[in-house]
Amino acid sequence: MRIAIAGAGNVGRSIAQELIDNGHQVMLIERQPRMLRPDRVPTADWVLADACELASLEEANVAGCDVVVAATGDDKVNLVVSLLAKTEFAVPRVVARVNRAENEWLFTEQWGVDVAVSKPRVMAALVEEAVTVGDLVRLMTFRQGEANLVEITLPPTAPYVGQPIHAVPLPRDAALVAILRGKRVLVPSPDDPIEAGDELIFVCTAQVEDDVRGVILGPDSVERTRGAT
């Protein structure tokens, strides 16, 4: 893919290097000359420009990008970049960094954002994922809540432990996409059994999260969770 990243600070450069390592073509757009450090990510295309200016994005051919990442340390800038990328250049996917948690509500499709990444939310989710067994943990939200990436670590008492995946009656709008078992990542197939201690990764809509929890952990798990909050 061709990917444009607005903001060449530590976050932008880190994202760029990882994407390049995965075989993608990356362009870093930075408006401050002192932040231009091509030696840090030498295989990226570096552009000195203001990503909030339409002319700059046109010159950089953002319309030819598959993804735009708004990764600056300023939420206002990230919102403007996202809006321009989506509305003026019809970029298929826009990912925006949220710096201040209180601004997260702004990062919606109305501002051109497909995926908003909030560091506090991600950190909290990673902490929960590491310590929570027997409950559903939301790891990431896509398209402003239309779909979520969620994780459930199976306790030994889960109703379908030892049974094949095809026997698990998942609700509509929910899909099991991966099983983490020890150090292995398994692509689920219908005949694979699920085991206690498995970390099940689902993509589902927010509306069916309780249904997924109820199926995987038992009908009383939803009430237990609500009673604890």
Side-chain angles (χ1 to χ4, degrees):
M1 294 189 296
R2 185 169 186 262
I3 301 163
I5 300 175
N10 291 332
V11 173
R13 294 197 307 270
S14 177
I15 296 169
Q17 188 60 63
E18 186 164 347
L19 290 169
I20 289 168
D21 290 344
N22 289 334
H24 302 293
Q25 180 185 352
V26 175
M27 172 175 57
L28 278 161
I29 304 173
E30 175 56 54
R31 64 180 177 180
Q32 299 184 41
R34 64 182 179 82
M35 297 298 294
L36 282 181
R37 299 175 180 176
D39 58 304
R40 298 289 182 91
V41 192
T43 48
D45 297 322
W46 287 75
V47 176
L48 177 62
D50 186 345
C52 290
E53 293 184 356
L54 198 58
S56 297
L57 297 179
E58 286 177 345
E59 188 173 344
N61 190 26
V62 167
C65 291
D66 301 290
V67 183
V68 164
V69 182
T72 79
D74 187 323
D75 285 343
K76 295 188 294 296
V77 171
N78 291 342
L79 285 170
V80 171
V81 171
S82 299
L83 185 64
L84 291 176
K86 184 65 71 174
T87 60
E88 298 294 332
F89 300 99
V91 174
R93 191 160 186 80
V94 177
V95 179
R97 171 188 177 187
V98 184
N99 294 278
R100 299 179 66 86
E102 62 266 29
N103 294 332
E104 192 169 358
W105 66 277
L106 288 165
F107 286 72
T108 65
E109 288 186 341
Q110 284 69 37
W111 277 95
V113 178
D114 294 309
V115 179
V117 181
S118 169
K119 287 189 291 183
R121 171 184 284 185
V122 171
M123 290 176 68
L126 291 173
V127 170
E128 288 185 282
E129 187 270 337
V131 302
T132 303
V133 176
D135 198 7
L136 181 147
V137 176
R138 186 179 296 173
L139 299 177
M140 188 172 291
T141 297
F142 303 102
R143 295 191 176 273
Q144 299 309 308
E146 290 182 20
N148 297 319
L149 187 71
V150 302
E151 183 266 355
I152 297 176
T153 300
L154 286 183
T157 55
Y160 291 96
V161 166
Q163 297 194 40
I165 291 170
H166 68 74
V168 182
L170 286 176
R172 185 178 179 179
D173 297 327
L176 177 63
V177 295
I179 300 173
L180 308 185
R181 182 175 295 161
K183 295 183 178 180
R184 300 177 62 200
V185 178
L186 307 177
V187 177
S189 64
D191 294 324
D192 289 336
I194 57 176
E195 302 177 1
D198 280 353
E199 295 181 52
L200 306 183
I201 309 297
F202 299 90
V203 173
C204 64
T205 62
Q207 289 77 10
V208 301
E209 281 186 2
D210 279 351
D211 296 331
V212 172
R213 182 189 281 112
V215 168
I216 300 300
L217 298 172
D220 62 335
S221 64
V222 176
E223 291 304 320
R224 286 201 311 269
T225 300
R226 287 175 177 168
T229 57

